Amino acid sequence: MAQNPALAADHRVRLLQGAQELFPALVEAMDAALSDIQFETYIFDFTGSGASVAEALERAARRGVRTQLVVDGVGTGALPDGWARRFASAGVQVRVYSPLGPLGLLLPQRWRRLHRKLCVVDGCVLFCGGINVLDDLHDPNHGALAAPRFDFAVRATGSLVALASDTMDQLWWRMQALRDMRERRLPEALQALRAASAARHAADEVAQQGPAMRAALLLRDNVRHRSRIEKAYRRAIGGARHEVIIANAYFMPGGKLRRALLLAARRGVRVRLLLQGRYEYFMQYHAARPVYGALLAAGVEIHEYAPSFLHAKVAVVDALGERPWATVGSSNLDPLSLLLAREANVVVEDAAFAADLRERLVQAMQQAGRRMEPARYAGRPLGQRVLDQVAYALMRLALWVTGKRY
């Protein structure tokens, strides 16, 4: 069973855990940049180590590197005044994806967010994963954390970098065109749309090159790649022979993905899930729990991570077998990611990479996870079960409002 037809064999991919490993690698690449930096993130927070990334962007722009930053209108919003002035003075170009406006999230179309975390430097190196520009020991809503956030990213070189760069170019020029049209600068808007179309064509050509072997960049959008990431997960789980390990922050899989996990467990594959054990957001925390019952009954192991917030969106399948498969990215296994948001995951078929990721996940489950026993799940207090069902119903209602099936 082929794992993914887009895989190509010309890549070098390195796993990075947490901002403590990602940020120094990002800063090193930005400080060596010669021509351009493209950066997209959901959250850009300047507290603590997040400032080191901002300072690297500022330094690059001051020495003449074309520096483009896109942040999400919900995750980040407008930049702090001081940093906005510093970026403008240095020449860092900043765009805000889908600003909320006066009605905020009351408009369902505003639920489509830029959730991917991508950075391309000089068209040669890509950083992709689930890690925002956010200090490991700081949370905007909860303050200081006692332990670092659990999350991953990758540093990659190879043909997938061009696809990421062209995709980011396409979004940048579309946003530029929208801004020009709002300001009634129609000639500039048409020029920006032509640039976006050219970027899309280039991305299509890159995506079709190379044999199906080692690594690929999977993108999810609301036009042409609506289910690409979910299908990759289902394909890998469906082909699993020995083991599936998934770490996911906001876990509410749809029917097809749930069935893939259940079937894997029933045919003897050891399926382990490392999920959020600390309360972060009402909807994501409680809406996940009603799906636990069937999984536990089929023999799926569920481990809840408690020392800090689990923010990872990674998986590894048959890491010690003949066909190892792993993915690291921004996509949660919930309807917000799989149906609405722009997401990006890197898929890798490499024994050493898969074994490295597996070791870190197993260590987290053994040392920092609390296994959910079926009896403990069934014995949840009535109040918690009510909240779980309310959150689940609200999530289903939100999907109905968007017209999506999941």
Side-chain angles (χ1 to χ4, degrees):
M1 182 178 195
Q3 292 289 341
N4 194 302
L7 291 165
D10 60 342
H11 299 101
R12 296 292 182 271
V13 185
R14 177 160 61 96
L15 184 65
L16 302 167
Q17 183 172 340
Q20 61 198 16
E21 293 185 6
L22 172 62
F23 289 180
L26 267 176
V27 169
E28 180 183 16
M30 290 177 180
D31 282 343
L34 298 175
S35 60
D36 59 275
I37 297 172
Q38 301 165 279
F39 201 177
E40 296 179 355
T41 185
Y42 181 69
I43 296 173
F44 201 124
D45 187 282
F46 298 85
T47 305
S49 62
S52 68
V53 180
E55 290 162 356
L57 287 170
E58 184 181 29
R59 287 193 298 271
R62 288 197 182 280
R63 65 177 186 271
V65 174
R66 180 171 61 94
T67 307
Q68 297 176 333
L69 171 65
V70 181
V71 298
D72 184 76
V74 170
T76 301
L79 300 186
D81 289 341
W83 274 105
R85 287 194 296 269
R86 288 178 64 169
F87 279 173
S89 174
V92 178
Q93 302 175 65
V94 181
R95 299 281 184 272
V96 178
Y97 178 87
S98 189
L100 284 182
L103 295 179
L105 292 174
L106 293 176
L107 299 175
Q109 59 264 36
R110 294 299 186 197
W111 300 352
R112 299 173 183 247
R113 308 312 314 169
L114 178 71
H115 194 245
R116 64 195 186 198
K117 293 87 180 172
L118 294 172
C119 180
V120 171
V121 178
D122 287 346
C124 297
V125 59
L126 166 69
F127 295 89
C128 175
I131 304 173
N132 290 291
V133 180
L134 182 62
D135 190 286
D136 276 341
L137 293 172
H138 168 72
D139 186 271
N141 299 312
H142 300 270
L145 302 177
R149 194 177 289 102
F150 189 70
D151 207 347
F152 293 94
V154 297
R155 180 190 187 278
T157 59
S159 58
L160 59 75
V161 180
L163 174 59
S165 177
D166 291 333
T167 299
M168 296 167 80
D169 260 347
Q170 181 185 346
L171 179 62
W172 181 268
W173 289 112
R174 280 182 175 174
M175 294 175 68
Q176 181 67 46
L178 288 173
R179 190 176 77 162
D180 289 339
M181 284 189 287
R182 282 196 298 268
E183 296 174 2
R184 299 187 179 182
R185 293 155 54 186
L186 294 182
E188 292 88 344
L190 290 173
Q191 182 178 0
L193 284 172
R194 283 194 292 269
S197 177
R200 183 180 67 185
H201 180 67
D204 289 344
E205 289 184 346
V206 171
Q208 293 170 8
Q209 294 174 0
M213 292 182 67
R214 293 292 299 277
L217 176 67
L218 303 184
L219 300 166
R220 198 235 151 253
D221 58 36
N222 292 295
V223 181
R224 304 175 67 247
H225 304 299
R226 297 184 181 186
S227 57
R228 198 175 184 194
I229 293 175
E230 181 181 359
K231 286 180 178 178
Y233 265 94
R234 296 205 317 260
R235 187 181 297 113
I237 295 167
R241 298 179 180 179
H242 309 289
E243 180 184 61
V244 173
I245 301 177
I246 296 173
N248 213 255
Y250 310 130
F251 182 79
M252 186 183 168
K256 292 181 180 179
L257 191 52
R258 273 195 306 243
R259 283 192 292 275
L261 291 168
L262 292 171
L263 289 172
R266 288 167 182 163
R267 66 175 183 268
V269 175
R270 187 180 186 186
V271 180
R272 287 184 278 182
L273 307 178
L274 180 61
L275 306 178
Q276 186 78 271
R278 290 188 59 177
Y279 185 93
E280 187 174 11
Y281 302 111
F282 169 79
M283 187 79 76
Q284 287 89 338
Y285 181 86
H286 285 287
R289 277 148 181 77
V291 309
Y292 286 9
L295 295 171
L296 290 168
V300 174
E301 300 176 29
I302 297 177
H303 302 258
E304 294 188 314
Y305 187 85
S308 187
F309 292 119
L310 182 145
H311 197 254
K313 305 97 166 55
V314 303
V316 60
V317 175
D318 289 347
L320 307 181
E322 296 178 358
R323 297 185 302 173
W325 181 95
T327 186
V328 177
S330 65
S331 183
N332 290 295
L333 299 181
D334 78 338
L336 296 179
S337 278
L338 295 177
L339 296 178
L340 297 173
R342 290 180 181 265
E343 306 283 5
N345 276 45
V346 170
V347 167
V348 183
E349 287 185 0
D350 178 82
F353 183 92
D356 184 13
L357 178 57
R358 179 187 184 277
E359 181 180 359
R360 299 188 197 213
L361 296 179
V362 170
Q363 183 180 48
M365 284 187 285
Q366 292 175 344
Q367 298 181 2
R370 182 185 180 191
R371 184 167 176 177
M372 173 71 75
E373 300 294 344
R376 182 163 70 89
Y377 173 79
R380 298 184 334 281
L382 177 61
Q384 182 176 337
R385 281 182 281 159
V386 170
L387 290 175
D388 294 346
Q389 292 299 327
V390 168
Y392 187 80
L394 288 173
M395 183 72 80
R396 301 299 300 182
L397 177 62
L399 289 178
W400 178 80
V401 169
T402 64
K404 301 289 186 180
R405 298 183 62 186
Y406 187 54

